[in-house]
Structures are given as C-alpha cells and as structure tokens.
Amino acid sequence: MNSVVLIGRLTRDPEVRYSAGTQMAICRFSVAIDRPPRQNGEKQTDFPNVVVFGKQAENCERFLAKGRLVGIQGRLQTGSYTNKDGATVYTTDVVADRVEFLEWGDRNERQAARPAAQSSAPAGGFDAAPEGFSAIDEDIPF
C-alpha cells in the first residue's frame, strides 16, 4: 500500500508548468510539516515536495500561496536523474490525488487585509456570498 496524508504549510508559492504534448498543468510546491517533539523538546520539521496534475494543479496555483495551510492525500514516488556533473540524483515526491485548501483566499489578496476582513465577518464566518450566489438576509427555519 502506498498512501500518504499530510497537513502542512507551503514553504513557497506553487509553480505551474504545462507538459509539451498534452498541455496538462503540473504544479510543484513544498510543505513544512512538524514532527512531534522529542523528549528533549527538540522540534524537527520535514519539507516534502508535492506534485499535482491537471485542473487541480491550476487551482493550486490560483488559490495557494506561501504560508497557506493545506491537506494533501496521495502517494510517494521515487525517481532519479543524472545532473550536469554526471552524478545520479535521487528524488522522492508526494504525488497528490487530492489537495484540500484549509485556508482560503485568492492568491493575489494582500495578507495584511485578511485580519480586518475576518473580524467583520458574520457569525457563519463568511465574508460575502460566493460568485454566482446571492446572500439571504432572512432567518431560515431549519
């Protein structure tokens, strides 16, 4: 069985490229994941590389930014290549089948504006109705 589930914060903005033949989106980013502290209190962090394909890759580029919290479900994949010096380099990536955005927002939003918007949010936690929907101002009986 090859299954991975991770929750962590992006260490850099996602990078998207498109494959030559099929023009499929390929998104790459890394996440910081804290390990449980050891008995001596020393904290360690892992930084796995994540690869996402297709429409989900395009959504990652649009909605994710450095520092955002994400949940990732996928599998481990190892590989190797020969670098320009002729040495073999081994790689390990998490190939994501599913990426959950645990912190939302448009990538172009300014992070400084978020605390003010969150404090004025209604009790349900939403700033406004999503695009294509209209807000309801009346009490719903259920």
Side-chain angles (χ1 to χ4, degrees):
M1 179 183 307
N2 185 355
S3 182
V4 175
V5 177
L6 305 170
I7 295 177
R9 293 194 178 276
L10 271 71
T11 60
R12 58 186 163 89
D13 287 343
E15 297 175 8
V16 172
R17 295 191 176 139
Y18 290 86
S19 64
T22 61
Q23 289 299 303
M24 179 188 296
I26 303 168
C27 180
R28 293 183 175 274
F29 56 89
S30 62
V31 292
I33 302 167
D34 291 333
R35 292 185 197 172
R38 294 185 173 198
Q39 288 181 356
N40 63 3
E42 184 178 319
K43 182 175 137 183
Q44 292 183 325
T45 305
D46 292 310
F47 300 95
N49 294 314
V50 180
V51 182
V52 187
F53 296 95
K55 183 70 174 170
Q56 192 165 221
E58 294 172 349
N59 286 335
C60 287
E61 179 187 35
R62 181 174 174 200
F63 293 109
L64 293 180
K66 180 179 178 179
R68 289 263 167 85
L69 188 66
V70 294
I72 299 161
Q73 180 179 359
R75 62 185 167 83
L76 283 179
Q77 181 171 302
T78 60
S80 64
Y81 63 93
T82 305
N83 66 11
K84 61 184 176 185
D85 298 327
T88 302
V89 178
Y90 296 96
T91 62
T92 302
D93 294 322
V94 175
V95 178
D97 297 321
R98 183 176 175 184
V99 177
E100 290 285 331
F101 305 147
L102 301 178
E103 289 182 343
W104 275 91
D106 225 347
R107 186 173 167 186
N108 297 329
E109 273 184 10
R110 291 185 350 180
Q111 294 292 344
R114 291 193 56 80
Q118 287 175 347
S119 64
S120 64
F126 299 102
D127 292 338
E131 183 178 325
F133 292 86
S134 57
I136 298 175
D137 289 334
E138 56 193 64
D139 290 334
I140 299 176
F142 51 87

